[in-house]
Amino acid sequence: MVQKNQKLVVEIVDLSSEGAGVAKVDGYPIFVKDTLVGEKVEILVLRANKNYGFGKAINIIEASSDRVEPKCPVASKCGGCSIQHMSYDCQLKYKKNKVYQNLKRIGGFDNIEVEDTIGMDEPFYYRNKAQYPVGYDKGIITGFYAANSHRIIDFDNCYIGSKRNREILNIVKNFIVENNITAYDETTGRGIVRHILIREGHFTGEIMVCLIVNGSKFKYKTQLAEALKDVEGVKSVSVNYNTTKSNVILGDKVETVYGSDFIIDYIGDLKFEISPLSFFQVNPVQTQKLYGKALEYADLNGEEIVVDAYCGIGTISLFLAQKAKMVYGVEIVPQAIEDAKKNAKNNKIDNAEFVCDDAGKYMVELVKKNTHLDVVFVDPPRKGCSEEFLEHLIQASPKEIIYISCDVATQARDAKYLNEHGYTITHCQPVDMFPHTFHVETVVLLSHKKPDGHIN
Ligand code: SAH
């Protein structure tokens, strides 16, 4: 029986879906963070539940050849990166295997050929958005949340964020200190500054800074604008008001205090306006590769009617519109649909239409109207597609379904359903959108099977 506080020497035999090493002691699994397959490790048992436990590595006795020194000194504490100790090549293989295992175990697909994960040439400094919580510990601190908690690690240099963030963060921190502004305290609901949001256009270098405050007005607006307006690249400074007691970072109301309401960035040739509240892919370099792959799978010839379900601000739709006859984007958030329409107009695209609706309800309508669909793109949130959506997608009977997902478990579940109703996976490509984290984005092509089981 494994017990709490016990010290054990174990061998790591697997990696969990969250990137932790897995050891087996008489069949009992113990999850050990920051370890790799094949390593012999001395661990301290932190918790021993009925069916599994958690341990902490105290000594790596035999290290894997895939082990590397993390670039970031707080990698093992921070909730952001969980596999920085793994060589990048190994990370890509881990993600490919994760996709394969999920499709097999959850989806019941036995012989799927999963392509090698598309990685980054430079897998650091890739995120175009950073949200630093602000707190108090003998003075104002800013940094990142520790893993599975809201304890702030005081640190200003994130290796997966933009290189400019550190300088900007320190300017804002000095502004807070100089003006004696208090930090928000989650436990009491008191204090002013909650978060500092920094976004940077990867291809334009335009920077947006947004200070999230607890209140309905902010009396240091001019000072904030003054502190940032001459900083190279800064195009937009704003204040966001959030008085809720929830974990949601941004409130609904934004006030621009300097410059423009938005910054600009590109995906391929397409131009996007990004405001503090808009959703935008955080890794534009990989997004371009992901969409490129999705488009390659669709193999459009300009005559197709295409649906982009869960379309967000229309990034995929506009990409597709350049190659299809007509694209219909559907998305549930009204603001995102507004942005999508504006983005279409700014890019002079007139064969994309955007509808604000639940994707399932929209698909029901299309089926009712007997609309002919050639290809359907699906890019749902983590929980995957609703049954209503899938059921009517099958009835709409497109030749191809291209399913993009950031959660391969729900993707495998939905693909299984589609496989039971006339479609089969013909291609599967993992893309590394989030290097050093356990996340993987996967694009899967499902083609319609003929009645004899062959693919169209
Ligand atoms: N395809 C977009 C966004 C994908 S994120 C892109 O690549 O940028 C998933 C999107 O699904 C989010 O924008 C979310 O608001 C939307 N969404 C969530 N539930 C939905 C539903 N039931 N119907 C339609 N859209 C939904």
Side-chain angles (χ1 to χ4, degrees), residues 112-145:
I112 297 290
E113 200 169 315
V114 178
E115 300 288 335
D116 288 344
T117 312
I118 299 177
M120 295 191 80
D121 296 335
E122 160 61 278
F124 288 97
Y125 307 112
Y126 61 84
R127 279 186 69 98
N128 59 9
K129 172 179 167 184
Q131 304 180 114
Y132 299 91
V134 179
Y136 192 84
D137 182 16
K138 300 188 201 97
I140 293 288
I141 56 167
T142 57
F144 306 97
Y145 289 133

mmCIF file of all heavy atoms in Angstrom, residues 112-145:
data_model
loop_
_atom_site.group_PDB
_atom_site.id
_atom_site.type_symbol
_atom_site.label_atom_id
_atom_site.label_comp_id
_atom_site.label_asym_id
_atom_site.label_seq_id
_atom_site.Cartn_x
_atom_site.Cartn_y
_atom_site.Cartn_z
ATOM 1 N N ILE A 112 -5.558 4.467 -37.485
ATOM 2 C CA ILE A 112 -5.434 5.827 -38.007
ATOM 3 C C ILE A 112 -3.964 6.190 -38.120
ATOM 4 O O ILE A 112 -3.187 5.984 -37.192
ATOM 5 C CB ILE A 112 -6.098 6.834 -37.036
ATOM 6 C CG1 ILE A 112 -7.580 6.570 -36.929
ATOM 7 C CG2 ILE A 112 -5.824 8.274 -37.449
ATOM 8 C CD1 ILE A 112 -8.358 6.897 -38.156
ATOM 9 N N GLU A 113 -3.621 6.741 -39.279
ATOM 10 C CA GLU A 113 -2.255 7.226 -39.395
ATOM 11 C C GLU A 113 -2.227 8.695 -38.977
ATOM 12 O O GLU A 113 -2.799 9.549 -39.659
ATOM 13 C CB GLU A 113 -1.773 7.064 -40.830
ATOM 14 C CG GLU A 113 -0.275 7.102 -40.872
ATOM 15 C CD GLU A 113 0.252 6.692 -42.221
ATOM 16 O OE1 GLU A 113 -0.234 5.686 -42.775
ATOM 17 O OE2 GLU A 113 1.122 7.407 -42.710
ATOM 18 N N VAL A 114 -1.601 8.950 -37.841
ATOM 19 C CA VAL A 114 -1.503 10.326 -37.366
ATOM 20 C C VAL A 114 -0.191 10.904 -37.898
ATOM 21 O O VAL A 114 0.866 10.300 -37.744
ATOM 22 C CB VAL A 114 -1.532 10.373 -35.817
ATOM 23 C CG1 VAL A 114 -1.376 11.795 -35.311
ATOM 24 C CG2 VAL A 114 -2.814 9.739 -35.281
ATOM 25 N N GLU A 115 -0.292 12.065 -38.549
ATOM 26 C CA GLU A 115 0.924 12.709 -39.077
ATOM 27 C C GLU A 115 1.805 13.191 -37.930
ATOM 28 O O GLU A 115 1.320 13.388 -36.813
ATOM 29 C CB GLU A 115 0.537 13.938 -39.929
ATOM 30 C CG GLU A 115 -0.345 13.660 -41.117
ATOM 31 C CD GLU A 115 0.377 12.942 -42.247
ATOM 32 O OE1 GLU A 115 1.613 13.068 -42.341
ATOM 33 O OE2 GLU A 115 -0.303 12.250 -43.020
ATOM 34 N N ASP A 116 3.089 13.446 -38.233
ATOM 35 C CA ASP A 116 3.969 14.033 -37.218
ATOM 36 C C ASP A 116 3.452 15.429 -36.869
ATOM 37 O O ASP A 116 3.021 16.173 -37.765
ATOM 38 C CB ASP A 116 5.396 14.173 -37.762
ATOM 39 C CG ASP A 116 6.058 12.811 -37.884
ATOM 40 O OD1 ASP A 116 5.546 11.836 -37.289
ATOM 41 O OD2 ASP A 116 7.097 12.726 -38.574
ATOM 42 N N THR A 117 3.521 15.784 -35.582
ATOM 43 C CA THR A 117 3.050 17.098 -35.140
ATOM 44 C C THR A 117 3.833 18.214 -35.844
ATOM 45 O O THR A 117 5.059 18.166 -35.905
ATOM 46 C CB THR A 117 3.272 17.243 -33.613
ATOM 47 O OG1 THR A 117 2.770 16.073 -32.979
ATOM 48 C CG2 THR A 117 2.596 18.471 -33.066
ATOM 49 N N ILE A 118 3.091 19.193 -36.365
ATOM 50 C CA ILE A 118 3.762 20.356 -36.962
ATOM 51 C C ILE A 118 4.208 21.279 -35.828
ATOM 52 O O ILE A 118 3.382 21.804 -35.084
ATOM 53 C CB ILE A 118 2.820 21.129 -37.912
ATOM 54 C CG1 ILE A 118 2.382 20.221 -39.072
ATOM 55 C CG2 ILE A 118 3.493 22.392 -38.433
ATOM 56 C CD1 ILE A 118 1.401 20.865 -40.028
ATOM 57 N N GLY A 119 5.520 21.442 -35.687
ATOM 58 C CA GLY A 119 6.056 22.250 -34.591
ATOM 59 C C GLY A 119 6.479 23.630 -35.058
ATOM 60 O O GLY A 119 6.272 24.010 -36.205
ATOM 61 N N MET A 120 7.096 24.374 -34.143
ATOM 62 C CA MET A 120 7.592 25.719 -34.462
ATOM 63 C C MET A 120 9.104 25.671 -34.648
ATOM 64 O O MET A 120 9.785 24.895 -33.982
ATOM 65 C CB MET A 120 7.283 26.684 -33.317
ATOM 66 C CG MET A 120 5.822 26.917 -33.078
ATOM 67 S SD MET A 120 5.559 28.309 -31.935
ATOM 68 C CE MET A 120 5.755 29.721 -33.045
ATOM 69 N N ASP A 121 9.623 26.531 -35.507
ATOM 70 C CA ASP A 121 11.082 26.608 -35.647
ATOM 71 C C ASP A 121 11.677 27.208 -34.386
ATOM 72 O O ASP A 121 12.736 26.813 -33.938
ATOM 73 C CB ASP A 121 11.447 27.502 -36.847
ATOM 74 C CG ASP A 121 10.941 26.878 -38.139
ATOM 75 O OD1 ASP A 121 10.782 25.632 -38.161
ATOM 76 O OD2 ASP A 121 10.678 27.627 -39.100
ATOM 77 N N GLU A 122 10.964 28.171 -33.820
ATOM 78 C CA GLU A 122 11.442 28.850 -32.597
ATOM 79 C C GLU A 122 10.301 28.749 -31.573
ATOM 80 O O GLU A 122 9.392 29.570 -31.562
ATOM 81 C CB GLU A 122 11.790 30.300 -32.972
ATOM 82 C CG GLU A 122 11.857 31.307 -31.861
ATOM 83 C CD GLU A 122 12.899 31.037 -30.801
ATOM 84 O OE1 GLU A 122 12.620 30.227 -29.883
ATOM 85 O OE2 GLU A 122 13.980 31.624 -30.880
ATOM 86 N N PRO A 123 10.313 27.674 -30.745
ATOM 87 C CA PRO A 123 9.136 27.442 -29.896
ATOM 88 C C PRO A 123 9.068 28.295 -28.622
ATOM 89 O O PRO A 123 8.458 27.902 -27.643
ATOM 90 C CB PRO A 123 9.265 25.952 -29.557
ATOM 91 C CG PRO A 123 10.705 25.663 -29.646
ATOM 92 C CD PRO A 123 11.315 26.620 -30.631
ATOM 93 N N PHE A 124 9.693 29.460 -28.623
ATOM 94 C CA PHE A 124 9.582 30.374 -27.483
ATOM 95 C C PHE A 124 9.005 31.705 -27.960
ATOM 96 O O PHE A 124 8.948 31.960 -29.156
ATOM 97 C CB PHE A 124 10.951 30.600 -26.832
ATOM 98 C CG PHE A 124 11.421 29.378 -26.082
ATOM 99 C CD1 PHE A 124 12.300 28.485 -26.672
ATOM 100 C CD2 PHE A 124 10.961 29.114 -24.802
ATOM 101 C CE1 PHE A 124 12.710 27.347 -25.992
ATOM 102 C CE2 PHE A 124 11.372 27.977 -24.109
ATOM 103 C CZ PHE A 124 12.250 27.094 -24.701
ATOM 104 N N TYR A 125 8.598 32.533 -27.029
ATOM 105 C CA TYR A 125 8.110 33.894 -27.315
ATOM 106 C C TYR A 125 6.998 33.913 -28.363
ATOM 107 O O TYR A 125 6.972 34.771 -29.246
ATOM 108 C CB TYR A 125 9.273 34.787 -27.805
ATOM 109 C CG TYR A 125 10.458 34.778 -26.884
ATOM 110 C CD1 TYR A 125 11.673 34.191 -27.258
ATOM 111 C CD2 TYR A 125 10.362 35.354 -25.623
ATOM 112 C CE1 TYR A 125 12.750 34.168 -26.405
ATOM 113 C CE2 TYR A 125 11.440 35.331 -24.759
ATOM 114 C CZ TYR A 125 12.633 34.736 -25.151
ATOM 115 O OH TYR A 125 13.696 34.717 -24.300
ATOM 116 N N TYR A 126 6.107 32.934 -28.318
ATOM 117 C CA TYR A 126 5.115 32.841 -29.390
ATOM 118 C C TYR A 126 3.754 33.444 -29.057
ATOM 119 O O TYR A 126 3.005 33.789 -29.946
ATOM 120 C CB TYR A 126 4.929 31.375 -29.813
ATOM 121 C CG TYR A 126 4.426 30.451 -28.708
ATOM 122 C CD1 TYR A 126 3.074 30.340 -28.420
ATOM 123 C CD2 TYR A 126 5.320 29.689 -27.956
ATOM 124 C CE1 TYR A 126 2.630 29.498 -27.410
ATOM 125 C CE2 TYR A 126 4.883 28.843 -26.959
ATOM 126 C CZ TYR A 126 3.537 28.748 -26.679
ATOM 127 O OH TYR A 126 3.103 27.935 -25.681
ATOM 128 N N ARG A 127 3.434 33.579 -27.779
ATOM 129 C CA ARG A 127 2.086 34.048 -27.418
ATOM 130 C C ARG A 127 1.928 35.542 -27.678
ATOM 131 O O ARG A 127 2.780 36.333 -27.272
ATOM 132 C CB ARG A 127 1.821 33.806 -25.928
ATOM 133 C CG ARG A 127 1.394 32.410 -25.567
ATOM 134 C CD ARG A 127 1.017 32.368 -24.100
ATOM 135 N NE ARG A 127 -0.202 33.117 -23.870
ATOM 136 C CZ ARG A 127 -1.406 32.567 -23.787
ATOM 137 N NH1 ARG A 127 -1.539 31.272 -23.896
ATOM 138 N NH2 ARG A 127 -2.460 33.312 -23.585
ATOM 139 N N ASN A 128 0.823 35.913 -28.297
ATOM 140 C CA ASN A 128 0.615 37.333 -28.571
ATOM 141 C C ASN A 128 -0.243 38.003 -27.496
ATOM 142 O O ASN A 128 -0.628 39.144 -27.619
ATOM 143 C CB ASN A 128 -0.023 37.522 -29.950
ATOM 144 C CG ASN A 128 -1.355 36.794 -30.055
ATOM 145 O OD1 ASN A 128 -1.884 36.297 -29.053
ATOM 146 N ND2 ASN A 128 -1.896 36.727 -31.246
ATOM 147 N N LYS A 129 -0.552 37.243 -26.455
ATOM 148 C CA LYS A 129 -1.428 37.791 -25.414
ATOM 149 C C LYS A 129 -0.943 37.323 -24.043
ATOM 150 O O LYS A 129 -0.637 36.141 -23.863
ATOM 151 C CB LYS A 129 -2.834 37.268 -25.664
ATOM 152 C CG LYS A 129 -3.852 37.578 -24.585
ATOM 153 C CD LYS A 129 -5.186 37.009 -24.995
ATOM 154 C CE LYS A 129 -6.169 36.983 -23.871
ATOM 155 N NZ LYS A 129 -7.417 36.341 -24.263
ATOM 156 N N ALA A 130 -0.847 38.249 -23.089
ATOM 157 C CA ALA A 130 -0.451 37.865 -21.736
ATOM 158 C C ALA A 130 -1.366 38.564 -20.745
ATOM 159 O O ALA A 130 -1.734 39.729 -20.940
ATOM 160 C CB ALA A 130 0.992 38.284 -21.469
ATOM 161 N N GLN A 131 -1.774 37.851 -19.714
ATOM 162 C CA GLN A 131 -2.645 38.445 -18.697
ATOM 163 C C GLN A 131 -1.986 38.222 -17.340
ATOM 164 O O GLN A 131 -1.972 37.113 -16.847
ATOM 165 C CB GLN A 131 -4.019 37.784 -18.737
ATOM 166 C CG GLN A 131 -4.643 37.875 -20.124
ATOM 167 C CD GLN A 131 -6.016 37.244 -20.226
ATOM 168 O OE1 GLN A 131 -6.984 37.924 -20.442
ATOM 169 N NE2 GLN A 131 -6.093 35.944 -20.079
ATOM 170 N N TYR A 132 -1.419 39.277 -16.802
ATOM 171 C CA TYR A 132 -0.696 39.141 -15.542
ATOM 172 C C TYR A 132 -1.595 39.512 -14.370
ATOM 173 O O TYR A 132 -2.095 40.640 -14.312
ATOM 174 C CB TYR A 132 0.498 40.087 -15.508
ATOM 175 C CG TYR A 132 1.522 39.831 -16.585
ATOM 176 C CD1 TYR A 132 1.445 40.489 -17.811
ATOM 177 C CD2 TYR A 132 2.571 38.954 -16.373
ATOM 178 C CE1 TYR A 132 2.387 40.264 -18.798
ATOM 179 C CE2 TYR A 132 3.523 38.721 -17.362
ATOM 180 C CZ TYR A 132 3.422 39.372 -18.567
ATOM 181 O OH TYR A 132 4.348 39.153 -19.546
ATOM 182 N N PRO A 133 -1.789 38.604 -13.416
ATOM 183 C CA PRO A 133 -2.529 38.999 -12.229
ATOM 184 C C PRO A 133 -1.672 39.950 -11.374
ATOM 185 O O PRO A 133 -0.443 39.847 -11.388
ATOM 186 C CB PRO A 133 -2.761 37.672 -11.498
ATOM 187 C CG PRO A 133 -1.746 36.725 -12.030
ATOM 188 C CD PRO A 133 -1.360 37.204 -13.400
ATOM 189 N N VAL A 134 -2.339 40.865 -10.695
ATOM 190 C CA VAL A 134 -1.639 41.813 -9.820
ATOM 191 C C VAL A 134 -2.028 41.487 -8.384
ATOM 192 O O VAL A 134 -3.203 41.267 -8.083
ATOM 193 C CB VAL A 134 -2.054 43.265 -10.170
ATOM 194 C CG1 VAL A 134 -1.370 44.269 -9.256
ATOM 195 C CG2 VAL A 134 -1.729 43.566 -11.633
ATOM 196 N N GLY A 135 -1.049 41.431 -7.498
ATOM 197 C CA GLY A 135 -1.349 41.095 -6.102
ATOM 198 C C GLY A 135 -0.453 41.857 -5.147
ATOM 199 O O GLY A 135 0.255 42.798 -5.553
ATOM 200 N N TYR A 136 -0.499 41.469 -3.903
ATOM 201 C CA TYR A 136 0.267 42.175 -2.882
ATOM 202 C C TYR A 136 1.009 41.170 -2.013
ATOM 203 O O TYR A 136 0.451 40.190 -1.545
ATOM 204 C CB TYR A 136 -0.693 43.008 -2.020
ATOM 205 C CG TYR A 136 0.023 43.982 -1.136
ATOM 206 C CD1 TYR A 136 0.422 45.234 -1.616
ATOM 207 C CD2 TYR A 136 0.332 43.656 0.191
ATOM 208 C CE1 TYR A 136 1.098 46.126 -0.822
ATOM 209 C CE2 TYR A 136 1.008 44.545 0.988
ATOM 210 C CZ TYR A 136 1.403 45.788 0.485
ATOM 211 O OH TYR A 136 2.083 46.658 1.277
ATOM 212 N N ASP A 137 2.324 41.403 -1.851
ATOM 213 C CA ASP A 137 3.101 40.600 -0.913
ATOM 214 C C ASP A 137 4.273 41.480 -0.479
ATOM 215 O O ASP A 137 5.292 41.529 -1.140
ATOM 216 C CB ASP A 137 3.588 39.315 -1.605
ATOM 217 C CG ASP A 137 4.369 38.429 -0.652
ATOM 218 O OD1 ASP A 137 4.273 38.644 0.570
ATOM 219 O OD2 ASP A 137 5.090 37.536 -1.140
ATOM 220 N N LYS A 138 4.104 42.200 0.550
ATOM 221 C CA LYS A 138 5.055 43.225 1.048
ATOM 222 C C LYS A 138 5.255 44.324 -0.001
ATOM 223 O O LYS A 138 6.238 45.041 0.021
ATOM 224 C CB LYS A 138 6.420 42.596 1.372
ATOM 225 C CG LYS A 138 6.360 41.514 2.432
ATOM 226 C CD LYS A 138 7.781 41.102 2.809
ATOM 227 C CE LYS A 138 7.835 39.750 3.449
ATOM 228 N NZ LYS A 138 8.171 38.671 2.483
ATOM 229 N N GLY A 139 4.412 44.444 -0.945
ATOM 230 C CA GLY A 139 4.507 45.409 -2.046
ATOM 231 C C GLY A 139 3.727 44.825 -3.208
ATOM 232 O O GLY A 139 3.283 43.682 -3.144
ATOM 233 N N ILE A 140 3.588 45.648 -4.265
ATOM 234 C CA ILE A 140 2.837 45.170 -5.433
ATOM 235 C C ILE A 140 3.628 44.069 -6.135
ATOM 236 O O ILE A 140 4.827 44.211 -6.377
ATOM 237 C CB ILE A 140 2.601 46.344 -6.416
ATOM 238 C CG1 ILE A 140 1.663 47.386 -5.807
ATOM 239 C CG2 ILE A 140 2.076 45.864 -7.768
ATOM 240 C CD1 ILE A 140 0.213 46.973 -5.699
ATOM 241 N N ILE A 141 2.966 42.973 -6.451
ATOM 242 C CA ILE A 141 3.608 41.932 -7.254
ATOM 243 C C ILE A 141 2.764 41.638 -8.501
ATOM 244 O O ILE A 141 1.543 41.784 -8.488
ATOM 245 C CB ILE A 141 3.852 40.618 -6.469
ATOM 246 C CG1 ILE A 141 2.546 40.072 -5.857
ATOM 247 C CG2 ILE A 141 4.911 40.795 -5.389
ATOM 248 C CD1 ILE A 141 2.669 38.648 -5.345
ATOM 249 N N THR A 142 3.467 41.249 -9.566
ATOM 250 C CA THR A 142 2.768 40.839 -10.791
ATOM 251 C C THR A 142 3.440 39.562 -11.264
ATOM 252 O O THR A 142 4.620 39.355 -11.010
ATOM 253 C CB THR A 142 2.924 41.884 -11.913
ATOM 254 O OG1 THR A 142 4.315 42.068 -12.143
ATOM 255 C CG2 THR A 142 2.275 43.191 -11.579
ATOM 256 N N GLY A 143 2.719 38.724 -11.925
ATOM 257 C CA GLY A 143 3.365 37.504 -12.401
ATOM 258 C C GLY A 143 2.388 36.513 -12.956
ATOM 259 O O GLY A 143 1.537 36.861 -13.765
ATOM 260 N N PHE A 144 2.503 35.265 -12.476
ATOM 261 C CA PHE A 144 1.679 34.184 -13.021
ATOM 262 C C PHE A 144 1.126 33.367 -11.875
ATOM 263 O O PHE A 144 1.738 33.276 -10.824
ATOM 264 C CB PHE A 144 2.539 33.279 -13.902
ATOM 265 C CG PHE A 144 3.253 34.041 -14.951
ATOM 266 C CD1 PHE A 144 4.569 34.434 -14.764
ATOM 267 C CD2 PHE A 144 2.596 34.419 -16.096
ATOM 268 C CE1 PHE A 144 5.216 35.182 -15.720
ATOM 269 C CE2 PHE A 144 3.233 35.161 -17.053
ATOM 270 C CZ PHE A 144 4.543 35.544 -16.871
ATOM 271 N N TYR A 145 0.006 32.729 -12.127
ATOM 272 C CA TYR A 145 -0.548 31.845 -11.114
ATOM 273 C C TYR A 145 0.259 30.558 -11.046
ATOM 274 O O TYR A 145 0.650 29.996 -12.076
ATOM 275 C CB TYR A 145 -2.002 31.493 -11.441
ATOM 276 C CG TYR A 145 -2.965 32.647 -11.255
ATOM 277 C CD1 TYR A 145 -3.902 32.958 -12.237
ATOM 278 C CD2 TYR A 145 -2.946 33.412 -10.094
ATOM 279 C CE1 TYR A 145 -4.797 34.005 -12.079
ATOM 280 C CE2 TYR A 145 -3.832 34.466 -9.927
ATOM 281 C CZ TYR A 145 -4.749 34.757 -10.920
ATOM 282 O OH TYR A 145 -5.624 35.799 -10.745
#
